[in-house]
Amino acid sequence: MNNTTINVDQLNSALNSLRVLRSSVSHVFETLSNGLRADHGEDGKDKFLLELQELLNNVNINLRDLEQTVNGLPIPTAPFNLGTTTYLSQETTQDRQALYTQLVNSYKWTDKIHEYSSFAHTLLSQNSLKRSYINSGSTKRRGKLQSNHNVAPLLVDNVINNIDRSYSDMKITISRPFASNAVVQINLGHVLKAIVAFKGLLMEWVMVKAYGETMDLWAESRHHVFRKVTENAHAAMLHFYSPTLPELAVRSFMTWLHSYVNLFSEPCKRCGAHLHHTSLLPPAWRDFRTLEPFHDECKQ
Amino acid sequence: MGVTVLQQYPVPENKTGTYVIELLTKRILALGASQQGQFLVDCESYLSHPQMGTTKTVHIFHNSEQPASVFSILDTGSKNIHVIADGLFDLLMMKLSQHYTSKKQTKIESKGPRFELGDFCIKLGSVTMNQSFKGILVEVEYRPCVTPNAVWGLLREFLQGFLGPSVMVQAPQHLVSRMNEIYTPIDTIYQYLEHFSAYRKITGMRSA
């Protein structure tokens, strides 16, 4: 990008000196065509010749300038492909000449769009968020999938009770304060309590609190560490979110949450310490795959 | 209520208690703590009248962290029985003065500044008995956790980092047998009783 701007500057100055040269040449011809004037006086011939010589000197200087700047210009590697815009130069109507600047501006604009969209594409392809049904394929499957927001309470109960049975130290209780949607309270040993709001089989909200705190969906924990865990649980909820396989999503999230059973007792896998030296928090992050504990600051 | 560890901090020779408190205050403020008032834990002991058979001791505790409660521990010699009651218990002890006499000269207390640092609560107490300075007790509470077993490693790391390598940090005797149980305020009181009893036995300052 930098190179091109420099080139444009050089080109500009080259064009400038060309214009100066042209004007000085036309000045010479103008003086010549006018011939002797009254202000040249009696021996006007000599004066006239002197003036002409000066003007020709000027032309020489300007020519040298032009040559210098042109030498400084890089030689284009390939002929410019201007497409149909080449015909623009043949356009003679005055008001259509303005088209050219507009054309250049719009070209710049589309070029930028192209650049930004390619950046966006690389970024988005790295973080596939799996939030939509786009990749889910056939329409038949699709029809079935949309019902995940609206699953029979019995089915939800079954899924959650199955998860409850597979952990001895994690107690899960289901309540339905908001019509048919389940609100699930999870007691993980003596370490923490979490409350998860479901919409059908999809998790919508998580709040994590200390063992002794009162549970409700919206108030945050008074302890820094559980506010951090809540934050991470939101990240995990989004990470595991999968509208195509909601049961798997719930199960993976619960497995992940269960790994917090050693929240206070297990040191960080990276720095080996319990408390991070600046935040003074225990390792409140669990890796999604290995479930190993890390400090937020150590997880990269 | 989180897990609390009470740790004795040795006062170096020819240094005063205020010097140590200032030193520790500086350290804790450098870590980013903010001071949240003062605290006070006091203990008064009553001896049973000889007519009642073997001598029993009742220790009465007040802790500014639980201002509405009075903690009492009955030491029968073989085991400790505790009762947690509200403030009126003090008046009851006065009524019992025929049977239990107060040992005024052994009234002991620990008081000083109280700090909060993230989820930690740190109290730097100067222990005085009968207006004479006996030593320094550092109390560190980690509030989010309720079982000592889970949090002991973390607390030790914090204490060691804060008090320096010269201090031996060991699990309090009282907690060793109940590491897996849920921590309650009376466990803090038992730890104070341990330390206060040690202070009472020694004349002058306690060094280790």
Side-chain angles (χ1 to χ4, degrees):
Chain A
M1 202 60 201
N2 250 341
N3 272 334
T4 45
T5 51
I6 290 163
N7 281 345
V8 165
D9 279 345
Q10 282 181 335
L11 209 64
N12 218 1
S13 63
L15 285 172
N16 251 338
S17 47
L18 180 67
R19 200 163 55 225
V20 171
L21 178 67
R22 274 181 168 168
S23 84
S24 59
V25 170
S26 66
H27 202 179
V28 170
F29 285 114
E30 200 182 32
T31 323
L32 264 179
S33 65
N34 281 344
L36 277 174
R37 291 193 309 271
D39 59 340
H40 286 127
E42 286 191 341
D43 49 356
K45 204 177 157 192
D46 281 347
K47 271 193 176 172
F48 180 63
L49 282 174
L50 273 176
E51 194 185 324
L52 205 61
Q53 196 174 11
E54 206 176 313
L55 286 173
L56 285 170
N57 268 342
N58 259 346
V59 171
N60 252 338
I61 292 165
N62 289 338
L63 185 67
R64 219 173 296 141
D65 275 350
L66 178 68
E67 264 170 355
Q68 232 158 32
T69 42
V70 167
N71 281 337
L73 282 177
I75 300 158
T77 47
F80 291 112
N81 183 17
L82 296 177
T84 43
T85 54
T86 40
Y87 301 118
L88 263 183
S89 59
Q90 291 163 13
E91 179 62 60
T92 48
T93 330
Q94 201 66 40
D95 25 321
R96 291 206 191 164
Q97 301 266 319
L99 256 181
Y100 188 70
T101 38
Q102 281 183 18
L103 205 72
V104 168
N105 281 337
S106 64
Y107 175 76
K108 278 184 188 164
W109 195 76
T110 43
D111 198 42
K112 260 183 200 163
I113 292 239
H114 183 254
E115 196 182 339
Y116 290 160
S117 59
S118 66
F119 282 142
H121 178 256
T122 44
L123 281 176
L124 288 173
S125 62
Q126 278 165 11
N127 309 305
S128 59
L129 293 168
K130 301 175 289 182
R131 296 258 186 287
S132 64
Y133 296 110
I134 292 167
N135 301 323
S136 65
S138 69
T139 44
K140 183 187 156 203
R141 205 171 148 73
R142 212 169 188 178
K144 194 182 126 213
L145 289 167
Q146 271 163 355
S147 60
N148 282 327
H149 292 281
N150 189 17
V151 186
L154 198 70
L155 191 73
V156 180
D157 284 9
N158 272 338
V159 170
I160 292 166
N161 286 331
N162 269 333
I163 297 170
D164 181 27
R165 251 171 268 138
S166 49
Y167 297 105
S168 57
D169 49 357
M170 192 159 83
K171 182 91 198 85
I172 305 180
T173 40
I174 307 168
S175 60
R176 293 183 194 278
F178 311 121
S180 65
N181 287 325
V183 172
V184 169
Q185 186 174 328
I186 303 157
N187 286 13
L188 180 59
H190 291 317
V191 179
L192 58 82
K193 291 199 286 191
I195 193 157
V196 182
F198 277 83
K199 171 102 179 145
L201 256 180
L202 302 174
M203 285 180 292
E204 292 234 309
W205 185 254
V206 190
M207 186 58 76
V208 182
K209 290 197 180 187
Y211 175 77
E213 286 183 284
T214 49
M215 283 319 279
D216 75 290
L217 261 175
W218 308 114
E220 284 195 319
S221 169
R222 63 168 174 268
H223 305 296
H224 291 75
V225 54
F226 288 112
R227 270 180 259 159
K228 181 57 88 181
V229 173
T230 305
E231 216 173 86
N232 291 336
H234 284 161
M237 177 178 78
L238 295 174
H239 174 85
F240 292 122
Y241 185 94
S242 135
T244 48
L245 296 163
E247 202 181 320
L248 182 74
V250 175
R251 187 169 280 279
S252 327
F253 177 80
M254 294 298 181
T255 313
W256 180 84
L257 191 70
H258 178 259
S259 68
Y260 276 103
V261 75
N262 56 12
L263 173 63
F264 299 112
S265 50
E266 197 73 12
C268 167
K269 276 276 178 284
R270 178 119 181 271
C271 66
H274 284 284
L275 295 166
H276 190 260
H277 54 92
T278 52
S279 63
L280 288 176
L281 288 175
W285 173 258
R286 293 292 183 275
D287 190 89
F288 289 134
R289 227 162 292 148
T290 59
L291 302 180
E292 283 174 337
F294 289 98
H295 290 122
D296 247 27
E297 294 84 347
C298 295
K299 74 183 181 212
Q300 281 86 17
Chain B
M1 179 73 209
V3 178
T4 305
V5 169
L6 197 60
Q7 177 73 34
Q8 134 93 5
Y9 189 85
V11 179
E13 275 182 48
N14 57 50
K15 291 278 195 291
T16 60
T18 10
Y19 168 83
V20 177
I21 294 284
E22 271 171 22
L23 178 83
L24 291 176
T25 304
K26 232 177 264 173
R27 275 191 208 166
I28 200 85
L29 289 178
L31 281 172
S34 59
Q35 189 173 348
Q36 306 279 336
Q38 304 278 322
F39 86 101
L40 168 70
V41 176
D42 64 44
C43 169
E44 200 169 345
S45 298
Y46 296 78
L47 282 181
S48 66
H49 209 266
Q51 285 169 347
M52 291 168 68
T54 50
T55 320
K56 292 170 194 145
T57 321
V58 175
H59 306 281
I60 303 289
F61 281 88
H62 301 91
N63 188 349
S64 57
E65 202 72 8
Q66 285 87 26
S69 304
V70 174
F71 303 89
S72 64
I73 297 173
L74 175 69
D75 183 358
T76 61
S78 52
K79 63 175 178 176
N80 291 330
I81 300 158
H82 66 257
V83 171
I84 305 167
D86 61 16
L88 286 174
F89 198 81
D90 288 330
L91 302 174
L92 188 69
M93 283 313 288
M94 284 165 73
K95 293 269 183 203
L96 291 174
S97 57
Q98 282 186 339
H99 307 287
Y100 285 100
T101 45
S102 165
K103 285 169 72 186
K104 283 285 180 209
Q105 68 278 15
T106 61
K107 191 170 191 302
I108 189 166
E109 62 179 27
S110 169
K111 72 171 175 183
R114 174 182 184 279
F115 300 90
E116 286 185 8
L117 172 60
D119 291 327
F120 290 94
C121 179
I122 302 116
K123 296 169 188 171
L124 308 175
S126 324
V127 182
T128 47
M129 187 167 84
N130 274 332
Q131 272 79 51
S132 69
F133 176 74
K134 302 291 276 185
I136 303 280
L137 279 179
V138 179
E139 184 192 318
V140 173
E141 179 184 352
Y142 188 65
R143 290 183 291 190
C145 189
V146 289
T147 46
N149 198 21
V151 82
W152 169 241
L154 186 152
L155 269 171
R156 188 177 50 198
E157 191 182 291
F158 180 78
L159 274 165
Q160 201 74 72
F162 160 55
L163 300 175
S166 59
V167 183
M168 275 286 287
V169 178
Q170 280 175 328
Q173 201 58 44
H174 170 74
L175 286 183
V176 171
S177 58
R178 57 196 82 224
M179 277 306 231
N180 283 316
E181 285 166 41
I182 289 178
Y183 195 90
T184 56
I186 192 72
D187 294 315
T188 310
I189 296 300
Y190 271 113
Q191 289 187 52
Y192 271 103
L193 178 63
E194 260 172 43
H195 283 279
F196 284 169
S197 307
Y199 280 123
R200 278 171 177 164
K201 282 181 195 136
I202 298 162
T203 49
M205 270 203 288
R206 187 176 157 201
S207 53

